[in-house]
Amino acid sequence: MTTFNLHIPIVPCRILAGILSVVALQGCDTVVEATMPITPSSIPQASTEVFKQKYPAVSSFVFEPLEKDKTWQTEFVTSVGKVLSVVDYQGEIIDSNSLVGIPKSLPEAIKQHFISQYPSAEILAVYDLMKSTTLTEGYKLVIKTANNTTAHLFYNSENAFVKEQTPSNEKALSIIFTSTDQINYDTQVPLVVKQFVSNNQLKNASMVIYQLTDKSYKLFVNFRDLSNGALQTFEIVLSETGLVLEWASSIENNYVYKVLNSANISSKTKSYLQANFPNWQFDYGIVKTIFGQNKTSFVALRVGQSDNYIVAEEQTNEHNLTIVHTQVLAENKLPDALKNTLTNTFPNWTFVNARVIYQATDANTINTAPNHFLVEIKQGNVRYAMRLDADGKIIYQYQII
């Protein structure tokens, strides 16, 4: 899961960010708000509630089917850019990605060159190389190689390969936080940086300026493009005299989700399942691609009547299998903290069903600490569903219609 240091500007999110857990609801609930183009009754309300909880400032979510009655994807705009997520019929976010940069396709010629020359590598980020705010002169790919090192690949405006470069270890002497509309009033900002911003008439945006040990300056400029909801970023390197050494503008990572059927489960995942769950049954599968590369697969399975699992495998990491486990709970297995919360909220509640969801772990670790619980109860003739954290606090609740 990607995190951002406070002193570094936002960068494209690239790492598996979203297995929160897997929860199975008994039955299908009616969604209160419209979620066109899907028939509202086909999406469990838990699926909308989990998004409302995670993104409270977003007014509505539009779900598109990935696999009928199993998984949906949704793309929406937040205050800091766009988000693309996948949710399943059990009401949980399976994967979530922040979309940073301009929406633009990587040219096919560059993609094919990368695939042929770096078959075991992974694209981490893609940039336009800029001449100005409106003119480009090529592309830069940031990749992770097979031996886990980072490299930069440069292509010209005709999409021809130019060079591979190992990024230098940059060390900063100072750091300045400012914005394009305040920069002329900031006495700490070097004159050459002010002149660059003025000459190029950059939009109102936040800025972070690093003065590097080689006396050059590295600028990170972040602004919101209201026309498409994108969070646009510039990374600019200026020489001590103000010469533009590099000007890169980020391109959105091109995430695409596809249905994965049981016949196409990787041998590694299948071997793990057969060794650990001899009677497993396939539920659904998803593959996430980035710029056409298979990046991550998610395989959901059932074991017996009470256990569900999701196995997430990152294809570019040979040692990465992530396991999420959910289990049916009988009423007498509910923790006291949950029972106390239910009694305080619904004095005459009766039990319908419950599940416990364990935290995501690697394939070699057993984690017995619950992540959260999903419980359905009745109060008289009215049925409620709720999500509670491990301490028994209600995260959300709704009435099942």
Side-chain angles (χ1 to χ4, degrees), residues 154-278:
F154 292 85
Y155 298 81
N156 63 23
S157 57
E158 282 75 41
N159 304 328
F161 178 72
V162 176
K163 63 180 179 179
E164 175 186 333
Q165 189 175 75
T166 300
S168 59
N169 292 322
E170 298 171 334
K171 294 184 178 179
L173 294 174
S174 63
I175 180 172
I176 303 168
F177 295 89
T178 184
S179 61
T180 53
D181 57 345
Q182 294 294 320
I183 193 170
N184 288 326
Y185 306 101
D186 195 331
T187 58
Q188 300 180 73
V189 177
L191 183 59
V192 293
V193 176
K194 292 181 179 180
Q195 194 63 51
F196 172 83
V197 173
S198 175
N199 290 346
N200 291 278
Q201 298 181 327
L202 297 185
K203 296 179 180 180
N204 290 342
S206 64
M207 290 186 65
V208 183
I209 304 167
Y210 293 90
Q211 183 177 13
L212 305 180
T213 52
D214 63 0
K215 297 185 179 181
S216 65
Y217 301 97
K218 191 161 191 176
L219 286 57
F220 291 87
V221 184
N222 299 319
F223 62 89
R224 175 79 176 276
D225 188 339
L226 297 178
S227 63
N228 57 27
L231 182 69
Q232 182 60 57
T233 66
F234 288 149
E235 297 182 13
I236 303 155
V237 181
L238 301 177
S239 72
E240 183 181 13
T241 59
L243 178 68
V244 177
L245 303 178
E246 184 174 296
W247 184 348
S249 175
S250 61
I251 296 174
E252 282 184 3
N253 280 357
N254 179 225
Y255 295 108
V256 175
Y257 292 100
K258 299 178 181 179
V259 172
L260 172 69
N261 60 45
S262 58
N264 293 326
I265 298 174
S266 77
S267 58
K268 179 180 179 180
T269 297
K270 190 171 291 186
S271 296
Y272 177 82
L273 295 177
Q274 291 171 345
N276 292 274
F277 311 106

Side-chain angles (χ1 to χ4, degrees), residues 285-400:
I286 302 169
V287 173
K288 177 171 69 174
T289 68
I290 304 180
F291 293 110
Q293 287 181 287
N294 284 353
K295 167 65 176 171
T296 310
S297 64
F298 306 89
V299 177
L301 58 139
R302 297 176 180 272
V303 180
Q305 298 299 312
S306 63
D307 290 276
N308 296 69
Y309 295 83
I310 279 189
V311 177
E313 177 187 350
E314 290 200 54
Q315 277 82 338
T316 53
N317 187 334
E318 289 298 320
H319 305 289
N320 189 357
L321 279 183
T322 301
I323 314 299
V324 178
H325 176 203
T326 174
Q327 188 174 51
V328 172
L329 279 186
E331 182 177 2
N332 62 357
K333 297 296 185 180
L334 289 178
D336 289 339
L338 269 68
K339 291 180 180 179
N340 292 337
T341 297
L342 293 173
T343 300
N344 291 335
T345 310
F346 304 95
N348 299 312
W349 65 278
T350 57
F351 180 81
V352 177
N353 60 63
R355 282 186 175 267
V356 57
I357 296 82
Y358 297 100
Q359 294 176 347
T361 63
D362 64 66
N364 298 313
T365 304
I366 298 175
N367 195 332
T368 57
N371 182 282
H372 65 271
F373 297 82
L374 197 113
V375 181
E376 290 188 21
I377 64 164
K378 277 188 176 181
Q379 174 88 324
N381 293 323
V382 182
R383 190 172 172 180
Y384 296 91
M386 65 197 69
R387 184 172 179 166
L388 303 96
D389 65 21
D391 295 324
K393 180 182 177 182
I394 294 176
I395 300 171
Y396 66 72
Q397 68 182 57
Y398 59 88
Q399 180 178 335
I400 301 174

Side-chain angles (χ1 to χ4, degrees), residues 141-158:
L141 273 59
V142 180
I143 70 169
K144 183 170 70 175
T145 65
N147 59 3
N148 211 32
T149 61
T150 301
H152 292 175
L153 308 182
F154 292 85
Y155 298 81
N156 63 23
S157 57
E158 282 75 41

Side-chain angles (χ1 to χ4, degrees), residues 47-102:
S47 299
T48 58
E49 293 294 337
V50 73
F51 278 100
K52 290 178 184 177
Q53 169 207 344
K54 190 171 177 65
Y55 303 100
V58 179
S59 59
S60 63
F61 302 95
V62 176
F63 292 86
E64 297 180 358
L66 189 60
E67 183 177 2
K68 184 180 178 182
D69 298 330
K70 292 289 186 179
T71 54
W72 296 265
Q73 57 188 0
T74 179
E75 184 176 317
F76 52 90
V77 177
T78 72
S79 60
V80 292
K82 291 190 291 186
V83 174
L84 175 65
S85 288
V86 169
V87 64
D88 73 1
Y89 69 99
Q90 302 167 111
E92 291 298 329
I93 299 174
I94 302 305
D95 194 39
S96 186
N97 306 280
S98 297
L99 303 179
V100 178
I102 58 173

